[in-house]
Amino acid sequence: MSNEQQIRRIASREVQKIAKELHGVSSVVIATVDGFDIASIGLDGEDPGRIAAMASSVSAIGSVISQEESLGRSRSVTIATDTGFAYLSCAYLPDQTLILNVIADQDAVLGQVAYRCAESVRRLEAVA
Amino acid sequence: MWKLKLAGLSETEQALIRSIVRLSKDLESSWQVVDQGACDVVLCGTHGPAMVMPGVLRIRVAEPGEHSTEHMHDVLERPIRAERLIRLLCQSAAALTQGRASSTPSSTPSISSPVVAETPAPRAMHGSLHQVASIGRWPPQVVLAKNREFIRLAVVLARASLSVTELSRLSGVPMETCISFLDALEERSLVRWGGAEDAIPPPPSHLQESTEHRHFGSGLLGSIRRALGI
Amino acid sequence: MKEYKILFSGTPGAGKTTAIGAVSEIPPVVTDVPNTDPGYAKAYTTVGLDYGQLTLDTGDCLRLFGTPGQARFDFLWRILGRNALGLIILLDNSRPNPLADLEIYINGFGEALRSMPCVIGVGRHDQGNTALDDYGLWLMERNMILPVLPVDVRRRADVVLLIDVLLAELEFHIRKGECSHVE
């Protein structure tokens, strides 16, 4: 199995597990840094390609802010809304960056989502 | 300010005309007598130029009875009288302002037809003086040829149907350049002529009038141009 | 201080980032990331926005924003296009079908083009099978007239000309507005 296939396999497994384990999650998308989804689950029928593109833009803007302020690499971005939140976390693999994006409603607990996402990121980053 | 050029006139007549223009309180608009460069009206004697630039009016200074009575309105009869000169200049200013009235290819020079008959009038002049021009597409590169003024004219004409005078006023590009531009378009059948009722609204292009643009003001555009070094 | 903006959009690789860098007084802020799309022969691509600026002598600020070019980022086109003075669409004539590329932006900006001045800059115009005049004809078939100019975004003068054309469009509206006000 190639490295790329292995990454996709892990990504696919992680999105399924996050959606299953966490309450209030409406979609989980893992995207390339330039906005293509490589694994997704849309519980409310959202277009994963669109979420991937938005995650890419938001993450890129987050990275620019951390660079401009010399804060190191951007690890996550949270968009809190009236009825839920979007949580984006970056997985820095040796030769590419992936963005794990979770869209959740008010039933979800932000801390729990952040904790679970960090676990998925570690698994993705562990791919040699 | 309108510019008046004198040609083929004696020094005495020139001095007299200069004095009348300078001192008259009856001229409704501002006039300046120029010796060279572009002008709006040429006042010429017997030995004056047979042709003038397109868009320039010609008034002939003639002996009594020398001119045809049907063109009294663009002839200044000798001896030169201030009230007659002033009336002609006022008529000229009005004609220039109103798009210089109508012109037909066979017409004799007059204030209402600024291109002298002897001049092979540029094609654009035939239709444009009282008609409005419009384009249906962005002009080809062979017409624009990276000419900034032509590009500016195309931008304006893409937004509205306009007479030559309006095109010049709205674009800030000299009338002669507007005529050259329209000629280049007409050569390739890329310009449409319509009646005055077709002027400005409705815009021929897709762009609708946006009131928000009016709020920017020309001061902003000037400051952007300065920042860009234009 | 008032702020104004001009938006650069268009095909990935057409030079939006370079164009902004050519006229910005600050090094442009970019959100480029490695490109994984084989459809565009470029190592990096913009996914967020590009940003440059010019301080005007009035103390106001002109902001230059570049959008990502790919259609999947069209949500950003509309966000960044809001209240822009004008739009510059940059195209790459060496692409397989640059008129199809143009269609993406004409459709993507849609209604906004009805009130926002727009100019099209065509790069690598001496390459490919599409003549510069084909763009004007293509637009004419859709009842649109937009300025189409050749551009080399590495040349500041070319980029300045595109902006100048946008300003000429704005100027026309201002003069026309003053004219109707007077009338």
Side-chain angles (χ1 to χ4, degrees), chain C residues 7-20 69 87-93 98 101-102 105 118-123 135 149-153 158-159 162:
Chain C
L7 189 64
F8 290 74
S9 191
T11 319
K16 298 178 287 293
T17 309
T18 309
I20 289 172
L87 167 68
I88 294 172
I89 297 175
L90 294 175
L91 299 171
D92 176 356
N93 204 49
D101 291 341
L102 173 59
Y105 303 101
C118 174
V119 54
I120 295 162
V122 181
Y135 292 87
L149 300 172
V151 65
D152 180 342
V153 289
D158 282 16
V159 181
L162 292 177

PDB file of all heavy atoms in Angstrom, chain C residues 7-20 69 87-93 98 101-102 105 118-123 135 149-153 158-159 162:
ATOM      1  N   LEU C   7     -10.568  44.298  -6.818  1.00  0.00           N
ATOM      2  CA  LEU C   7     -10.472  42.845  -6.724  1.00  0.00           C
ATOM      3  C   LEU C   7      -9.822  42.259  -7.980  1.00  0.00           C
ATOM      4  O   LEU C   7     -10.158  42.639  -9.094  1.00  0.00           O
ATOM      5  CB  LEU C   7     -11.886  42.278  -6.561  1.00  0.00           C
ATOM      6  CG  LEU C   7     -12.000  40.800  -6.225  1.00  0.00           C
ATOM      7  CD1 LEU C   7     -11.387  40.518  -4.873  1.00  0.00           C
ATOM      8  CD2 LEU C   7     -13.470  40.380  -6.224  1.00  0.00           C
ATOM      9  N   PHE C   8      -8.887  41.350  -7.760  1.00  0.00           N
ATOM     10  CA  PHE C   8      -8.273  40.605  -8.859  1.00  0.00           C
ATOM     11  C   PHE C   8      -8.770  39.167  -8.779  1.00  0.00           C
ATOM     12  O   PHE C   8      -8.662  38.537  -7.732  1.00  0.00           O
ATOM     13  CB  PHE C   8      -6.743  40.594  -8.729  1.00  0.00           C
ATOM     14  CG  PHE C   8      -6.097  41.925  -8.987  1.00  0.00           C
ATOM     15  CD1 PHE C   8      -6.184  42.950  -8.061  1.00  0.00           C
ATOM     16  CD2 PHE C   8      -5.379  42.144 -10.152  1.00  0.00           C
ATOM     17  CE1 PHE C   8      -5.585  44.185  -8.297  1.00  0.00           C
ATOM     18  CE2 PHE C   8      -4.773  43.373 -10.398  1.00  0.00           C
ATOM     19  CZ  PHE C   8      -4.883  44.394  -9.471  1.00  0.00           C
ATOM     20  N   SER C   9      -9.322  38.683  -9.884  1.00  0.00           N
ATOM     21  CA  SER C   9      -9.720  37.291  -9.917  1.00  0.00           C
ATOM     22  C   SER C   9      -9.247  36.702 -11.245  1.00  0.00           C
ATOM     23  O   SER C   9      -8.605  37.385 -12.036  1.00  0.00           O
ATOM     24  CB  SER C   9     -11.243  37.174  -9.763  1.00  0.00           C
ATOM     25  OG  SER C   9     -11.602  35.828  -9.548  1.00  0.00           O
ATOM     26  N   GLY C  10      -9.587  35.457 -11.491  1.00  0.00           N
ATOM     27  CA  GLY C  10      -9.220  34.865 -12.770  1.00  0.00           C
ATOM     28  C   GLY C  10      -8.507  33.533 -12.620  1.00  0.00           C
ATOM     29  O   GLY C  10      -8.280  33.035 -11.505  1.00  0.00           O
ATOM     30  N   THR C  11      -8.120  32.998 -13.761  1.00  0.00           N
ATOM     31  CA  THR C  11      -7.556  31.653 -13.838  1.00  0.00           C
ATOM     32  C   THR C  11      -6.360  31.458 -12.914  1.00  0.00           C
ATOM     33  O   THR C  11      -5.481  32.321 -12.867  1.00  0.00           O
ATOM     34  CB  THR C  11      -7.067  31.393 -15.285  1.00  0.00           C
ATOM     35  OG1 THR C  11      -8.022  31.924 -16.185  1.00  0.00           O
ATOM     36  CG2 THR C  11      -6.884  29.926 -15.534  1.00  0.00           C
ATOM     37  N   PRO C  12      -6.302  30.301 -12.234  1.00  0.00           N
ATOM     38  CA  PRO C  12      -5.099  30.006 -11.461  1.00  0.00           C
ATOM     39  C   PRO C  12      -3.880  30.026 -12.388  1.00  0.00           C
ATOM     40  O   PRO C  12      -3.935  29.475 -13.491  1.00  0.00           O
ATOM     41  CB  PRO C  12      -5.351  28.588 -10.932  1.00  0.00           C
ATOM     42  CG  PRO C  12      -6.837  28.432 -10.949  1.00  0.00           C
ATOM     43  CD  PRO C  12      -7.322  29.248 -12.110  1.00  0.00           C
ATOM     44  N   GLY C  13      -2.858  30.692 -11.975  1.00  0.00           N
ATOM     45  CA  GLY C  13      -1.654  30.750 -12.791  1.00  0.00           C
ATOM     46  C   GLY C  13      -1.625  31.940 -13.735  1.00  0.00           C
ATOM     47  O   GLY C  13      -0.629  32.161 -14.434  1.00  0.00           O
ATOM     48  N   ALA C  14      -2.707  32.725 -13.777  1.00  0.00           N
ATOM     49  CA  ALA C  14      -2.726  33.879 -14.694  1.00  0.00           C
ATOM     50  C   ALA C  14      -1.921  35.053 -14.115  1.00  0.00           C
ATOM     51  O   ALA C  14      -1.585  35.981 -14.852  1.00  0.00           O
ATOM     52  CB  ALA C  14      -4.149  34.312 -14.978  1.00  0.00           C
ATOM     53  N   GLY C  15      -1.640  35.006 -12.830  1.00  0.00           N
ATOM     54  CA  GLY C  15      -0.760  36.033 -12.266  1.00  0.00           C
ATOM     55  C   GLY C  15      -1.427  37.040 -11.349  1.00  0.00           C
ATOM     56  O   GLY C  15      -0.979  38.186 -11.263  1.00  0.00           O
ATOM     57  N   LYS C  16      -2.445  36.634 -10.638  1.00  0.00           N
ATOM     58  CA  LYS C  16      -3.133  37.575  -9.737  1.00  0.00           C
ATOM     59  C   LYS C  16      -2.188  38.044  -8.633  1.00  0.00           C
ATOM     60  O   LYS C  16      -2.096  39.236  -8.343  1.00  0.00           O
ATOM     61  CB  LYS C  16      -4.371  36.898  -9.111  1.00  0.00           C
ATOM     62  CG  LYS C  16      -5.409  36.490 -10.137  1.00  0.00           C
ATOM     63  CD  LYS C  16      -6.579  35.791  -9.502  1.00  0.00           C
ATOM     64  CE  LYS C  16      -6.270  34.393  -9.027  1.00  0.00           C
ATOM     65  NZ  LYS C  16      -5.984  33.435 -10.092  1.00  0.00           N
ATOM     66  N   THR C  17      -1.478  37.088  -8.042  1.00  0.00           N
ATOM     67  CA  THR C  17      -0.555  37.436  -6.961  1.00  0.00           C
ATOM     68  C   THR C  17       0.548  38.356  -7.491  1.00  0.00           C
ATOM     69  O   THR C  17       0.891  39.362  -6.855  1.00  0.00           O
ATOM     70  CB  THR C  17       0.062  36.146  -6.367  1.00  0.00           C
ATOM     71  OG1 THR C  17      -0.987  35.231  -6.060  1.00  0.00           O
ATOM     72  CG2 THR C  17       0.844  36.450  -5.110  1.00  0.00           C
ATOM     73  N   THR C  18       1.065  38.033  -8.661  1.00  0.00           N
ATOM     74  CA  THR C  18       2.128  38.855  -9.259  1.00  0.00           C
ATOM     75  C   THR C  18       1.612  40.256  -9.582  1.00  0.00           C
ATOM     76  O   THR C  18       2.307  41.255  -9.350  1.00  0.00           O
ATOM     77  CB  THR C  18       2.639  38.195 -10.562  1.00  0.00           C
ATOM     78  OG1 THR C  18       2.960  36.837 -10.279  1.00  0.00           O
ATOM     79  CG2 THR C  18       3.861  38.906 -11.103  1.00  0.00           C
ATOM     80  N   ALA C  19       0.388  40.327 -10.112  1.00  0.00           N
ATOM     81  CA  ALA C  19      -0.186  41.623 -10.477  1.00  0.00           C
ATOM     82  C   ALA C  19      -0.331  42.512  -9.240  1.00  0.00           C
ATOM     83  O   ALA C  19      -0.002  43.707  -9.270  1.00  0.00           O
ATOM     84  CB  ALA C  19      -1.543  41.423 -11.157  1.00  0.00           C
ATOM     85  N   ILE C  20      -0.809  41.931  -8.162  1.00  0.00           N
ATOM     86  CA  ILE C  20      -0.965  42.716  -6.931  1.00  0.00           C
ATOM     87  C   ILE C  20       0.409  43.163  -6.442  1.00  0.00           C
ATOM     88  O   ILE C  20       0.605  44.325  -6.063  1.00  0.00           O
ATOM     89  CB  ILE C  20      -1.717  41.882  -5.858  1.00  0.00           C
ATOM     90  CG1 ILE C  20      -3.186  41.740  -6.274  1.00  0.00           C
ATOM     91  CG2 ILE C  20      -1.609  42.522  -4.475  1.00  0.00           C
ATOM     92  CD1 ILE C  20      -3.998  40.790  -5.434  1.00  0.00           C
ATOM     93  N   GLY C  69      -8.403  31.287  -7.719  1.00  0.00           N
ATOM     94  CA  GLY C  69      -8.974  31.217  -9.064  1.00  0.00           C
ATOM     95  C   GLY C  69      -9.953  30.084  -9.275  1.00  0.00           C
ATOM     96  O   GLY C  69     -10.882  30.197 -10.069  1.00  0.00           O
ATOM     97  N   LEU C  87     -13.457  45.147 -10.685  1.00  0.00           N
ATOM     98  CA  LEU C  87     -12.932  43.782 -10.763  1.00  0.00           C
ATOM     99  C   LEU C  87     -12.010  43.654 -11.975  1.00  0.00           C
ATOM    100  O   LEU C  87     -12.360  44.086 -13.075  1.00  0.00           O
ATOM    101  CB  LEU C  87     -14.112  42.808 -10.909  1.00  0.00           C
ATOM    102  CG  LEU C  87     -13.794  41.372 -11.314  1.00  0.00           C
ATOM    103  CD1 LEU C  87     -13.047  40.651 -10.201  1.00  0.00           C
ATOM    104  CD2 LEU C  87     -15.088  40.622 -11.643  1.00  0.00           C
ATOM    105  N   ILE C  88     -10.852  43.058 -11.744  1.00  0.00           N
ATOM    106  CA  ILE C  88      -9.945  42.735 -12.848  1.00  0.00           C
ATOM    107  C   ILE C  88      -9.902  41.215 -12.968  1.00  0.00           C
ATOM    108  O   ILE C  88      -9.530  40.530 -12.010  1.00  0.00           O
ATOM    109  CB  ILE C  88      -8.541  43.313 -12.596  1.00  0.00           C
ATOM    110  CG1 ILE C  88      -8.601  44.844 -12.617  1.00  0.00           C
ATOM    111  CG2 ILE C  88      -7.548  42.799 -13.638  1.00  0.00           C
ATOM    112  CD1 ILE C  88      -7.315  45.529 -12.203  1.00  0.00           C
ATOM    113  N   ILE C  89     -10.317  40.704 -14.121  1.00  0.00           N
ATOM    114  CA  ILE C  89     -10.271  39.260 -14.354  1.00  0.00           C
ATOM    115  C   ILE C  89      -9.038  38.960 -15.198  1.00  0.00           C
ATOM    116  O   ILE C  89      -8.905  39.472 -16.314  1.00  0.00           O
ATOM    117  CB  ILE C  89     -11.544  38.765 -15.087  1.00  0.00           C
ATOM    118  CG1 ILE C  89     -12.787  38.996 -14.220  1.00  0.00           C
ATOM    119  CG2 ILE C  89     -11.418  37.287 -15.432  1.00  0.00           C
ATOM    120  CD1 ILE C  89     -14.109  38.647 -14.916  1.00  0.00           C
ATOM    121  N   LEU C  90      -8.143  38.168 -14.661  1.00  0.00           N
ATOM    122  CA  LEU C  90      -6.928  37.811 -15.395  1.00  0.00           C
ATOM    123  C   LEU C  90      -7.078  36.403 -15.966  1.00  0.00           C
ATOM    124  O   LEU C  90      -7.464  35.477 -15.255  1.00  0.00           O
ATOM    125  CB  LEU C  90      -5.713  37.875 -14.463  1.00  0.00           C
ATOM    126  CG  LEU C  90      -5.349  39.274 -13.942  1.00  0.00           C
ATOM    127  CD1 LEU C  90      -4.217  39.177 -12.932  1.00  0.00           C
ATOM    128  CD2 LEU C  90      -4.954  40.200 -15.089  1.00  0.00           C
ATOM    129  N   LEU C  91      -6.783  36.281 -17.252  1.00  0.00           N
ATOM    130  CA  LEU C  91      -6.899  34.986 -17.918  1.00  0.00           C
ATOM    131  C   LEU C  91      -5.557  34.590 -18.523  1.00  0.00           C
ATOM    132  O   LEU C  91      -4.713  35.453 -18.804  1.00  0.00           O
ATOM    133  CB  LEU C  91      -7.965  35.051 -19.021  1.00  0.00           C
ATOM    134  CG  LEU C  91      -9.387  35.388 -18.544  1.00  0.00           C
ATOM    135  CD1 LEU C  91     -10.289  35.646 -19.742  1.00  0.00           C
ATOM    136  CD2 LEU C  91      -9.957  34.273 -17.679  1.00  0.00           C
ATOM    137  N   ASP C  92      -5.408  33.298 -18.721  1.00  0.00           N
ATOM    138  CA  ASP C  92      -4.175  32.763 -19.304  1.00  0.00           C
ATOM    139  C   ASP C  92      -4.522  32.183 -20.674  1.00  0.00           C
ATOM    140  O   ASP C  92      -5.178  31.147 -20.770  1.00  0.00           O
ATOM    141  CB  ASP C  92      -3.624  31.682 -18.361  1.00  0.00           C
ATOM    142  CG  ASP C  92      -2.387  31.001 -18.921  1.00  0.00           C
ATOM    143  OD1 ASP C  92      -1.990  31.309 -20.073  1.00  0.00           O
ATOM    144  OD2 ASP C  92      -1.810  30.157 -18.209  1.00  0.00           O
ATOM    145  N   ASN C  93      -4.077  32.872 -21.716  1.00  0.00           N
ATOM    146  CA  ASN C  93      -4.463  32.485 -23.083  1.00  0.00           C
ATOM    147  C   ASN C  93      -3.817  31.171 -23.527  1.00  0.00           C
ATOM    148  O   ASN C  93      -4.236  30.587 -24.516  1.00  0.00           O
ATOM    149  CB  ASN C  93      -4.087  33.604 -24.056  1.00  0.00           C
ATOM    150  CG  ASN C  93      -4.919  33.573 -25.313  1.00  0.00           C
ATOM    151  OD1 ASN C  93      -6.141  33.492 -25.240  1.00  0.00           O
ATOM    152  ND2 ASN C  93      -4.275  33.607 -26.467  1.00  0.00           N
ATOM    153  N   PRO C  98      -9.403  29.058 -22.937  1.00  0.00           N
ATOM    154  CA  PRO C  98      -9.488  30.257 -22.088  1.00  0.00           C
ATOM    155  C   PRO C  98     -10.870  30.920 -22.088  1.00  0.00           C
ATOM    156  O   PRO C  98     -11.230  31.599 -21.130  1.00  0.00           O
ATOM    157  CB  PRO C  98      -8.432  31.198 -22.675  1.00  0.00           C
ATOM    158  CG  PRO C  98      -8.144  30.683 -24.028  1.00  0.00           C
ATOM    159  CD  PRO C  98      -8.433  29.228 -24.025  1.00  0.00           C
ATOM    160  N   ASP C 101     -12.730  29.349 -19.481  1.00  0.00           N
ATOM    161  CA  ASP C 101     -12.254  29.929 -18.213  1.00  0.00           C
ATOM    162  C   ASP C 101     -12.985  31.243 -17.945  1.00  0.00           C
ATOM    163  O   ASP C 101     -13.442  31.498 -16.833  1.00  0.00           O
ATOM    164  CB  ASP C 101     -10.742  30.199 -18.273  1.00  0.00           C
ATOM    165  CG  ASP C 101      -9.930  28.908 -18.310  1.00  0.00           C
ATOM    166  OD1 ASP C 101     -10.474  27.853 -17.935  1.00  0.00           O
ATOM    167  OD2 ASP C 101      -8.754  28.964 -18.715  1.00  0.00           O
ATOM    168  N   LEU C 102     -13.081  32.069 -19.003  1.00  0.00           N
ATOM    169  CA  LEU C 102     -13.749  33.374 -18.832  1.00  0.00           C
ATOM    170  C   LEU C 102     -15.193  33.168 -18.366  1.00  0.00           C
ATOM    171  O   LEU C 102     -15.682  33.892 -17.485  1.00  0.00           O
ATOM    172  CB  LEU C 102     -13.715  34.143 -20.163  1.00  0.00           C
ATOM    173  CG  LEU C 102     -14.509  35.447 -20.224  1.00  0.00           C
ATOM    174  CD1 LEU C 102     -14.023  36.434 -19.161  1.00  0.00           C
ATOM    175  CD2 LEU C 102     -14.401  36.086 -21.610  1.00  0.00           C
ATOM    176  N   TYR C 105     -15.812  32.924 -14.659  1.00  0.00           N
ATOM    177  CA  TYR C 105     -15.791  34.164 -13.853  1.00  0.00           C
ATOM    178  C   TYR C 105     -16.987  35.058 -14.169  1.00  0.00           C
ATOM    179  O   TYR C 105     -17.519  35.724 -13.287  1.00  0.00           O
ATOM    180  CB  TYR C 105     -14.450  34.888 -14.041  1.00  0.00           C
ATOM    181  CG  TYR C 105     -13.343  33.950 -13.663  1.00  0.00           C
ATOM    182  CD1 TYR C 105     -12.619  33.274 -14.635  1.00  0.00           C
ATOM    183  CD2 TYR C 105     -13.112  33.627 -12.333  1.00  0.00           C
ATOM    184  CE1 TYR C 105     -11.661  32.330 -14.292  1.00  0.00           C
ATOM    185  CE2 TYR C 105     -12.167  32.684 -11.974  1.00  0.00           C
ATOM    186  CZ  TYR C 105     -11.445  32.040 -12.966  1.00  0.00           C
ATOM    187  OH  TYR C 105     -10.532  31.099 -12.610  1.00  0.00           O
ATOM    188  N   CYS C 118     -15.599  46.278 -14.672  1.00  0.00           N
ATOM    189  CA  CYS C 118     -14.780  45.065 -14.816  1.00  0.00           C
ATOM    190  C   CYS C 118     -13.912  45.186 -16.058  1.00  0.00           C
ATOM    191  O   CYS C 118     -14.352  45.712 -17.076  1.00  0.00           O
ATOM    192  CB  CYS C 118     -15.701  43.852 -14.939  1.00  0.00           C
ATOM    193  SG  CYS C 118     -14.867  42.313 -15.291  1.00  0.00           S
ATOM    194  N   VAL C 119     -12.672  44.735 -15.949  1.00  0.00           N
ATOM    195  CA  VAL C 119     -11.796  44.706 -17.108  1.00  0.00           C
ATOM    196  C   VAL C 119     -11.131  43.333 -17.159  1.00  0.00           C
ATOM    197  O   VAL C 119     -10.862  42.734 -16.120  1.00  0.00           O
ATOM    198  CB  VAL C 119     -10.759  45.861 -17.056  1.00  0.00           C
ATOM    199  CG1 VAL C 119      -9.991  45.873 -15.765  1.00  0.00           C
ATOM    200  CG2 VAL C 119      -9.797  45.803 -18.211  1.00  0.00           C
ATOM    201  N   ILE C 120     -10.909  42.857 -18.376  1.00  0.00           N
ATOM    202  CA  ILE C 120     -10.305  41.538 -18.549  1.00  0.00           C
ATOM    203  C   ILE C 120      -8.881  41.692 -19.074  1.00  0.00           C
ATOM    204  O   ILE C 120      -8.664  42.346 -20.102  1.00  0.00           O
ATOM    205  CB  ILE C 120     -11.148  40.690 -19.525  1.00  0.00           C
ATOM    206  CG1 ILE C 120     -12.520  40.423 -18.883  1.00  0.00           C
ATOM    207  CG2 ILE C 120     -10.456  39.371 -19.847  1.00  0.00           C
ATOM    208  CD1 ILE C 120     -13.569  39.985 -19.854  1.00  0.00           C
ATOM    209  N   GLY C 121      -7.944  41.131 -18.356  1.00  0.00           N
ATOM    210  CA  GLY C 121      -6.543  41.163 -18.779  1.00  0.00           C
ATOM    211  C   GLY C 121      -6.160  39.766 -19.253  1.00  0.00           C
ATOM    212  O   GLY C 121      -6.341  38.786 -18.532  1.00  0.00           O
ATOM    213  N   VAL C 122      -5.656  39.689 -20.469  1.00  0.00           N
ATOM    214  CA  VAL C 122      -5.311  38.382 -21.029  1.00  0.00           C
ATOM    215  C   VAL C 122      -3.796  38.230 -21.086  1.00  0.00           C
ATOM    216  O   VAL C 122      -3.114  38.961 -21.808  1.00  0.00           O
ATOM    217  CB  VAL C 122      -5.916  38.211 -22.446  1.00  0.00           C
ATOM    218  CG1 VAL C 122      -5.566  36.837 -23.011  1.00  0.00           C
ATOM    219  CG2 VAL C 122      -7.423  38.392 -22.405  1.00  0.00           C
ATOM    220  N   GLY C 123      -3.312  37.276 -20.315  1.00  0.00           N
ATOM    221  CA  GLY C 123      -1.871  37.025 -20.287  1.00  0.00           C
ATOM    222  C   GLY C 123      -1.488  35.971 -21.306  1.00  0.00           C
ATOM    223  O   GLY C 123      -2.331  35.215 -21.788  1.00  0.00           O
ATOM    224  N   TYR C 135     -12.226  37.240 -27.420  1.00  0.00           N
ATOM    225  CA  TYR C 135     -12.853  37.489 -26.114  1.00  0.00           C
ATOM    226  C   TYR C 135     -13.992  38.503 -26.262  1.00  0.00           C
ATOM    227  O   TYR C 135     -15.066  38.331 -25.696  1.00  0.00           O
ATOM    228  CB  TYR C 135     -11.821  38.001 -25.106  1.00  0.00           C
ATOM    229  CG  TYR C 135     -10.786  36.968 -24.722  1.00  0.00           C
ATOM    230  CD1 TYR C 135      -9.632  36.796 -25.473  1.00  0.00           C
ATOM    231  CD2 TYR C 135     -10.983  36.160 -23.611  1.00  0.00           C
ATOM    232  CE1 TYR C 135      -8.685  35.846 -25.134  1.00  0.00           C
ATOM    233  CE2 TYR C 135     -10.039  35.197 -23.255  1.00  0.00           C
ATOM    234  CZ  TYR C 135      -8.890  35.052 -24.023  1.00  0.00           C
ATOM    235  OH  TYR C 135      -7.959  34.107 -23.683  1.00  0.00           O
ATOM    236  N   LEU C 149      -7.865  43.553 -22.567  1.00  0.00           N
ATOM    237  CA  LEU C 149      -6.542  44.072 -22.886  1.00  0.00           C
ATOM    238  C   LEU C 149      -5.477  43.001 -22.679  1.00  0.00           C
ATOM    239  O   LEU C 149      -5.587  42.195 -21.750  1.00  0.00           O
ATOM    240  CB  LEU C 149      -6.209  45.270 -21.977  1.00  0.00           C
ATOM    241  CG  LEU C 149      -7.147  46.474 -22.069  1.00  0.00           C
ATOM    242  CD1 LEU C 149      -6.806  47.477 -20.986  1.00  0.00           C
ATOM    243  CD2 LEU C 149      -7.042  47.127 -23.433  1.00  0.00           C
ATOM    244  N   PRO C 150      -4.452  43.023 -23.537  1.00  0.00           N
ATOM    245  CA  PRO C 150      -3.345  42.093 -23.297  1.00  0.00           C
ATOM    246  C   PRO C 150      -2.571  42.560 -22.071  1.00  0.00           C
ATOM    247  O   PRO C 150      -2.487  43.767 -21.808  1.00  0.00           O
ATOM    248  CB  PRO C 150      -2.494  42.234 -24.564  1.00  0.00           C
ATOM    249  CG  PRO C 150      -2.813  43.597 -25.090  1.00  0.00           C
ATOM    250  CD  PRO C 150      -4.226  43.891 -24.695  1.00  0.00           C
ATOM    251  N   VAL C 151      -2.039  41.625 -21.319  1.00  0.00           N
ATOM    252  CA  VAL C 151      -1.309  42.024 -20.115  1.00  0.00           C
ATOM    253  C   VAL C 151      -0.146  41.077 -19.850  1.00  0.00           C
ATOM    254  O   VAL C 151      -0.239  39.880 -20.097  1.00  0.00           O
ATOM    255  CB  VAL C 151      -2.265  42.075 -18.888  1.00  0.00           C
ATOM    256  CG1 VAL C 151      -2.809  40.703 -18.550  1.00  0.00           C
ATOM    257  CG2 VAL C 151      -1.595  42.676 -17.668  1.00  0.00           C
ATOM    258  N   ASP C 152       0.937  41.659 -19.399  1.00  0.00           N
ATOM    259  CA  ASP C 152       2.037  40.879 -18.844  1.00  0.00           C
ATOM    260  C   ASP C 152       2.143  41.356 -17.400  1.00  0.00           C
ATOM    261  O   ASP C 152       2.624  42.462 -17.141  1.00  0.00           O
ATOM    262  CB  ASP C 152       3.340  41.160 -19.617  1.00  0.00           C
ATOM    263  CG  ASP C 152       4.508  40.352 -19.058  1.00  0.00           C
ATOM    264  OD1 ASP C 152       4.399  39.871 -17.915  1.00  0.00           O
ATOM    265  OD2 ASP C 152       5.529  40.221 -19.755  1.00  0.00           O
ATOM    266  N   VAL C 153       1.641  40.525 -16.490  1.00  0.00           N
ATOM    267  CA  VAL C 153       1.517  40.984 -15.098  1.00  0.00           C
ATOM    268  C   VAL C 153       2.859  41.277 -14.443  1.00  0.00           C
ATOM    269  O   VAL C 153       2.917  41.891 -13.384  1.00  0.00           O
ATOM    270  CB  VAL C 153       0.737  39.962 -14.232  1.00  0.00           C
ATOM    271  CG1 VAL C 153      -0.721  39.948 -14.614  1.00  0.00           C
ATOM    272  CG2 VAL C 153       1.346  38.580 -14.319  1.00  0.00           C
ATOM    273  N   ASP C 158       1.584  47.480 -17.331  1.00  0.00           N
ATOM    274  CA  ASP C 158       0.418  46.744 -17.835  1.00  0.00           C
ATOM    275  C   ASP C 158      -0.660  46.650 -16.755  1.00  0.00           C
ATOM    276  O   ASP C 158      -1.853  46.795 -17.037  1.00  0.00           O
ATOM    277  CB  ASP C 158       0.826  45.329 -18.265  1.00  0.00           C
ATOM    278  CG  ASP C 158       1.506  45.309 -19.629  1.00  0.00           C
ATOM    279  OD1 ASP C 158       1.936  46.391 -20.083  1.00  0.00           O
ATOM    280  OD2 ASP C 158       1.617  44.229 -20.239  1.00  0.00           O
ATOM    281  N   VAL C 159      -0.232  46.379 -15.532  1.00  0.00           N
ATOM    282  CA  VAL C 159      -1.196  46.257 -14.434  1.00  0.00           C
ATOM    283  C   VAL C 159      -1.831  47.615 -14.148  1.00  0.00           C
ATOM    284  O   VAL C 159      -3.037  47.725 -13.929  1.00  0.00           O
ATOM    285  CB  VAL C 159      -0.511  45.684 -13.168  1.00  0.00           C
ATOM    286  CG1 VAL C 159      -1.522  45.530 -12.041  1.00  0.00           C
ATOM    287  CG2 VAL C 159       0.160  44.350 -13.470  1.00  0.00           C
ATOM    288  N   LEU C 162      -4.575  48.363 -16.567  1.00  0.00           N
ATOM    289  CA  LEU C 162      -5.840  47.680 -16.234  1.00  0.00           C
ATOM    290  C   LEU C 162      -6.597  48.473 -15.168  1.00  0.00           C
ATOM    291  O   LEU C 162      -7.809  48.664 -15.268  1.00  0.00           O
ATOM    292  CB  LEU C 162      -5.574  46.260 -15.724  1.00  0.00           C
ATOM    293  CG  LEU C 162      -5.018  45.242 -16.728  1.00  0.00           C
ATOM    294  CD1 LEU C 162      -4.753  43.909 -16.036  1.00  0.00           C
ATOM    295  CD2 LEU C 162      -5.977  45.037 -17.883  1.00  0.00           C
TER     296      LEU C 162
END
